Amino acid sequence: MSVSFAPECTDAKTKYDDCFNKWYTEKFLKGKSLENECTEFWDSYITCVNSALAKQSVNPMLEKAREDQPFTSEEIRASAGTSKK
Amino acid sequence: MKLFESEHYFNYPWDQVTAANWQKYPNELSTHVVSVDILNRSIDVDNKTLRTERLIGCKQAIPNWLSFIVGGQKLSYVREVSEVDLINNTLVLKSHNLTMNHILLVNETVIYKPDPQLKSRTIFTQSAEITAYAAITRICDKLEEWSVERFGQNAKTGKLAFEGVLDTLSTKWEESGVFVSDVLKDFNNDLTEKTSDVLSEVSKLGLFKLNSSSSNSSSSTLPSSVSSSPSSSH
């Protein structure tokens, strides 16, 4: 699995990715689960990432990008041609 | 603004292609993609849709003399938002560069859908809007044209490499019953990565042109390395 931009978060990321990929292929794609089953791993990973992000110069760029281009579900569905009536 | 569009078929089922999407890095061919982080992930139960926001870090292949423009950063970042829709069987990825977007903004949309004619096949459509911001229109045009051309070249190679990876993945899937693999060395279909390629190279071209046109100084003041061939992109 790929590393995190913050080296101290890579361990937590690997654990989360492993859990996620297993869930995604074995459950989500097969329609067996619509529930995030990796919350424990997610929580420690995202806590690490958020605290690293707060110290990085990428954070303001990210905030601005989210504001400029939210890439909403509506936009995404419009691109895919699956917009609801 | 210039548009790049392309369509392609992968001879692999849609679900496998989407699973591969989460597992592309690291790989030997995409050495300049240095990190991938998931920033947000949520499930819309009613629409059976998984939404993910990722931050992808790439090595910045820019010459030293240009680094003042991006504040001496060694890394560039791309933000990607994707949705896997299990009802409509679509995977859509939208991305844009966070770094140097005041010089060049690449807005990309990739869609994977099963081929309605042949379920074992996946249709891939890619489009990118490339906008260069600079003071002189003529230069912007050139920059955009050049970027579109470069983007197209990279996209072509990426698709070929993706075929190889899907082959590896599907063999593994048949053997094990699942298509999770941690040995995806050939995976090289990331548009983000192509965005980064284009950016790093455009940055060279961009400032080269701007410098030589916006003042009376001769372009010979630029280091000779500036106009040398592109870095290790493919």
Side-chain angles (χ1 to χ4, degrees):
Chain A
M1 286 301 140
S2 38
V3 300
S4 169
F5 84 100
E8 68 273 23
C9 304
T10 296
D11 273 356
K13 176 178 156 43
T14 307
K15 288 183 184 125
Y16 168 70
D17 275 345
D18 287 347
C19 177
F20 171 80
N21 284 312
K22 204 163 160 10
W23 169 80
Y24 184 82
T25 54
E26 293 175 17
K27 296 196 174 170
F28 178 75
L29 280 180
K30 293 180 178 167
K32 290 181 185 167
S33 166
L34 284 171
E35 202 180 314
N36 181 358
E37 296 179 7
C38 303
T39 48
E40 203 181 308
F41 299 112
W42 171 256
D43 288 346
S44 49
Y45 167 59
I46 202 63
T47 307
C48 184
V49 163
N50 283 337
S51 102
L53 262 185
K55 297 175 213 152
Q56 296 267 342
S57 57
V58 66
N59 211 23
M61 293 190 268
L62 195 58
E63 295 298 331
K64 185 165 189 314
R66 283 170 174 157
E67 204 174 292
D68 291 349
Q69 290 174 289
F71 294 144
T72 60
S73 295
E74 287 70 28
E75 274 179 79
I76 286 177
R77 278 197 288 264
S79 298
T82 56
S83 296
K84 289 182 190 157
K85 299 261 164 77
Chain B
M1 189 180 76
K2 294 276 175 183
L3 276 174
F4 170 85
E5 281 177 330
S6 112
E7 194 176 83
H8 186 72
Y9 292 91
F10 290 108
N11 288 316
Y12 297 88
W14 177 79
D15 53 357
Q16 280 188 41
V17 172
T18 70
N21 179 55
W22 306 122
Q23 299 179 60
K24 12 182 115 157
Y25 302 112
N27 72 69
E28 284 171 354
L29 293 175
S30 313
T31 51
H32 60 289
V33 173
V34 293
S35 69
V36 179
D37 280 280
I38 303 102
L39 300 181
N40 282 296
R41 189 165 256 159
S42 58
I43 302 162
D44 175 345
V45 176
D46 290 341
N47 293 308
K48 293 192 179 174
T49 296
L50 174 75
R51 182 179 164 94
T52 305
E53 181 185 38
R54 297 199 294 184
L55 177 71
I56 293 149
C58 311
K59 256 185 245 166
Q60 188 94 272
I62 64 166
N64 283 337
W65 60 267
L66 182 58
S67 62
F68 74 92
I69 242 185
V70 291
Q73 289 172 59
K74 294 274 187 278
L75 284 172
S76 62
Y77 287 100
V78 169
R79 170 179 171 255
E80 174 204 81
V81 174
S82 64
E83 288 194 3
V84 183
D85 178 340
L86 284 188
I87 295 176
N88 296 296
N89 284 351
T90 51
L91 164 60
V92 177
L93 302 111
K94 283 185 171 284
S95 65
H96 54 181
N97 54 299
L98 301 180
T99 319
M100 289 204 288
N101 52 18
H102 57 300
I103 301 172
L104 188 89
L105 181 65
V106 181
N107 249 311
E108 223 172 78
T109 304
V110 167
I111 302 162
Y112 293 96
K113 294 182 194 182
D115 182 352
Q117 315 294 321
L118 190 64
K119 290 284 179 204
S120 59
R121 205 161 78 147
T122 302
I123 307 175
F124 161 92
T125 32
Q126 169 190 31
S127 62
E129 293 172 7
I130 299 173
T131 312
Y133 301 101
I136 302 148
T137 313
R138 192 176 50 84
I139 289 161
C140 285
D141 285 350
K142 278 196 177 156
L143 202 58
E144 286 174 347
E145 272 166 32
W146 182 85
S147 306
V148 169
E149 193 183 303
R150 181 81 198 134
F151 196 93
Q153 287 164 2
N154 287 332
K156 215 176 197 172
T157 320
K159 276 175 228 154
L160 284 174
F162 194 29
E163 294 280 6
V165 172
L166 282 164
D167 183 51
T168 314
L169 194 69
S170 101
T171 311
K172 280 189 167 287
W173 188 31
E174 276 161 28
E175 283 166 2
S176 65
V178 288
F179 40 81
V180 178
S181 161
D182 52 5
V183 211
L184 281 179
K185 305 227 167 183
D186 304 329
F187 216 118
N188 184 32
N189 182 44
D190 195 70
L191 296 163
T192 294
E193 168 199 337
K194 285 181 267 298
T195 302
S196 148
D197 275 356
V198 167
L199 274 176
S200 64
E201 288 167 34
V202 157
S203 68
K204 300 173 197 173
L205 185 73
L207 205 74
F208 177 82
K209 297 285 187 192
L210 282 174
N211 259 7
S212 56
S213 325
S214 61
S215 71
N216 292 326
S217 66
S218 147
S219 60
S220 65
T221 56
L222 292 163
S224 58
S225 64
V226 168
S227 55
S228 67
S229 60
S231 53
S232 65
S233 50
H234 32 256

